[in-house]
Amino acid sequence: MLGGCAESFAALYDRRQGGVYRFALRMTGSEAFAEDVTQDVFLALMREGGRFDPSRGSVRSYLYGMARHRVLRRLERERAHVPFEDEGGAFEELPGAADDPFADLAREELVGLVRQAVLSLPTHFREVIVLCHLQEMNYAEAAEVVSCPVGTVRSRLARAREMLTGKLRALRGPSVGERVIKAGQAI
Amino acid sequence: MSCQDFKRVVEELADGRLMDAAARDAGLGHAAVCVACAARLMEARGIGAGLRVAARAETEEAPARVRESLLAAFAERHGGVLEERKREEALPANVVALPSRRAARWWFAAAAAAAVILLSLTLSSLVRVSTDGPRPKPQELSQAQPLPTQAPAEAKVEKPGILVGGDVARQGSSKKAAARTPRAARSFKHEARAESAAAVAQTNGNEYFPLTYLAGATAMESGTVVRVELSRTALISLGVPVQPDRPEETLKADVVLGDDGVARAIRLVR
């Protein structure tokens, strides 16, 4: 690819763009930004692909690392300009939250609620949840992406899941959180 | 296992990940007897399952336009390289590929730069001040004599058509220069670069005429001689005695230029 082979570049893009795009999407909740990040990451790969060092990790981790860098920069910028939203307020508009409390949640609703809850986590906890659970990376790969020891990933993940449980429980009352958890158990 | 220890392994237990068998058994044993930890385990299983469902729903991809724009950018970036490689591959083995147009431009630019450097070096060596023999001090030169229109017969010309200002200027101070000590002469080599450009030489019967605006007798370290073509009218206006008939006719002339680009003297080329 670095030698100018367009087919190699296209193959690499086709294989990795989805993960990079979804990582940025889950981290920011913005499709437009995820699109920008994806484009930016592969442009950077085109320009600076020579910097990739296989001894330091896989291409996948390298791409996710670049995406993470851009995402964090964006989140940092937004934090400086947007007032922090009340944690409970983030769930006010969630679909189905006030509907029949006894009906089982549809799969789409469950997915939507989990994504919303993930988005409300602090960045460091959100990224390990996204990488290890939604992108299904193992701890070592996630550690390469976030540039920290595996033990840190593990402890952050445990803490993130605790927070996630709390977020889902707080979802407009404990009953909805219970439903999410029960729906997850039932699936 | 304590409840605190159970908290450390509950995710692994809930997700069914690989873990130490003894820790797994101890954890499950604790959950069997501790209601709170059993509830924690159930909750973790529910969250884990919910995350797995969310992971399976992760199917979004970047829009096709991103791919198109990236491939276009890639082609633009590497297009030149690929074209050249294809061209070379298409040639028979005994044919050497000519450089691409871009490469040819670079070669042309490099050759032009080399030619300019060579030319400037040649010119500077041609007009360099002769350093043989003692010379007058610059102060003496600044008290320069009026510009001679007739150089003495012994005035030295280093190369045809090239004015050697130091030798010319020597004519006015030859007596003092002759009396100069060798040490003074050596020191002069460093300080006497300033030559009076107003002093001009006569070469092969051709006179250099000082240009009229040189009344201030500006000093000149070195200079260059440029051959030009000027009309008779222009030559007359510069003080060169030529016949005023056929005013539009052009004549060749050598102009002495100082380092500052100011013309100091002119002569006709015969």
Side-chain angles (χ1 to χ4, degrees):
Chain A
M1 188 210 85
L2 294 177
C5 177
E7 290 80 14
S8 302
F9 179 76
L12 180 64
Y13 176 81
D14 291 342
R15 191 170 177 196
R16 295 294 173 209
Q17 56 86 18
V20 171
Y21 177 79
R22 287 191 293 271
F23 171 72
L25 182 60
R26 296 294 160 252
M27 287 296 290
T28 62
S30 161
E31 288 179 1
F33 183 67
E35 187 178 325
D36 288 348
V37 166
T38 308
Q39 181 157 327
D40 208 15
V41 163
F42 282 92
L43 277 174
L45 180 71
M46 214 183 287
R47 286 193 305 263
E48 304 155 13
R51 289 187 189 175
F52 169 65
D53 179 3
S55 66
R56 293 177 60 187
S58 63
V59 174
R60 186 190 187 198
S61 303
Y62 181 68
L63 294 174
Y64 274 82
M66 286 198 285
R68 175 179 178 262
H69 180 67
R70 284 155 177 78
V71 164
L72 292 185
R73 250 192 349 215
R74 148 101 179 213
L75 293 175
E76 198 67 34
R77 231 178 12 243
E78 283 191 344
R79 193 185 301 168
H81 294 99
V82 178
F84 191 76
E85 198 171 350
D86 176 62
E87 285 191 358
F91 297 103
E92 288 300 318
E93 302 302 324
L94 289 177
D99 296 343
D100 180 6
F102 301 104
D104 284 337
L105 284 168
R107 183 179 293 250
E108 290 76 22
E109 283 181 301
L110 172 66
V111 170
L113 290 173
V114 170
R115 284 177 180 170
Q116 287 287 340
V118 169
L119 259 181
S120 70
L121 292 174
T123 310
H124 286 320
F125 298 108
R126 193 189 319 163
E127 65 185 3
V128 290
I129 285 281
V130 170
L131 291 172
C132 293
H133 286 297
L134 301 184
Q135 299 286 314
E136 299 181 320
M137 281 187 181
N138 59 38
Y139 292 158
E141 285 175 320
E144 275 177 13
V145 174
V146 299
S147 306
C148 70
V150 172
T152 306
V153 170
R154 188 189 296 266
S155 61
R156 276 187 194 170
L157 196 59
R159 177 77 185 116
R161 282 178 63 143
E162 264 182 36
M163 294 170 80
L164 199 60
T165 307
K167 298 271 181 195
L168 289 169
R169 280 197 179 284
L171 204 64
R172 299 187 70 182
S175 63
V176 178
E178 289 293 339
R179 281 189 300 149
V180 171
I181 293 165
K182 281 181 182 165
Q185 287 167 355
I187 288 170
Chain B
M1 178 177 275
S2 67
C3 293
Q4 201 61 33
D5 294 334
F6 184 81
K7 275 179 76 175
R8 288 198 203 100
V9 296
V10 66
E11 270 82 29
E12 277 85 352
L13 283 173
D15 294 347
R17 295 189 185 191
L18 279 176
M19 61 186 295
D20 180 62
R24 183 176 183 279
D25 291 344
L28 291 176
H30 178 78
V33 296
C34 177
V35 178
C37 287
R40 188 185 293 275
L41 180 59
M42 288 299 287
E43 192 176 77
R45 280 182 176 153
I47 291 291
L51 286 169
R52 278 194 294 278
V53 171
R56 280 200 293 273
E58 291 281 291
T59 53
E60 298 98 331
E61 296 199 334
R65 62 176 173 271
V66 176
R67 186 181 197 274
E68 287 163 16
S69 63
L70 281 170
L71 290 180
F74 189 88
E76 190 178 334
R77 187 176 177 82
H78 294 283
V81 178
L82 287 177
E83 276 173 22
E84 197 163 327
R85 194 174 297 166
K86 279 179 186 171
R87 207 156 56 90
E88 284 175 9
E89 284 169 4
L91 291 172
N94 59 345
V95 177
V96 177
L98 289 171
S100 66
R101 188 175 293 179
R102 185 185 294 179
R105 277 202 299 270
W106 278 108
W107 277 112
F108 179 77
V116 167
I117 291 168
L118 194 64
L119 187 64
S120 60
L121 285 174
T122 309
L123 282 174
S124 65
S125 69
L126 285 176
V127 299
R128 74 177 182 274
V129 177
S130 174
T131 55
D132 55 336
R135 298 176 182 211
K137 287 185 177 176
Q139 291 87 342
E140 295 166 356
L141 292 172
S142 65
Q143 302 162 359
Q145 297 72 27
L147 294 173
T149 53
Q150 292 287 336
E154 65 272 19
K156 182 176 178 180
V157 175
E158 204 168 50
K159 297 200 180 205
I162 303 300
L163 170 69
V164 184
D167 294 328
V168 175
R170 198 182 305 144
Q171 63 182 327
S173 57
S174 57
K175 287 179 183 174
K176 287 182 183 177
R180 195 183 300 279
T181 63
R183 182 177 175 186
R186 276 200 305 277
S187 68
F188 177 74
K189 284 183 181 177
H190 300 290
E191 64 187 23
R193 290 254 168 175
E195 301 285 353
S196 172
V200 292
Q202 179 185 15
T203 56
N204 299 330
N206 261 352
E207 296 174 18
Y208 272 101
F209 295 91
L211 293 173
T212 51
Y213 49 78
L214 289 176
T218 51
M220 186 174 88
E221 265 194 1
S222 60
T224 53
V225 176
V226 179
R227 181 152 294 178
V228 298
E229 268 191 25
L230 292 170
S231 65
R232 285 175 182 270
T233 312
L235 287 166
I236 291 168
S237 71
L238 291 171
V240 182
V242 291
Q243 295 296 324
D245 56 338
R246 302 190 303 278
E248 298 305 320
E249 184 188 20
T250 57
L251 297 172
K252 286 185 179 174
D254 286 340
V255 177
V256 178
L257 293 175
D259 283 338
D260 52 3
V262 177
R264 310 300 171 102
I266 188 169
R267 74 169 182 182
L268 282 174
V269 178
R270 303 198 189 277

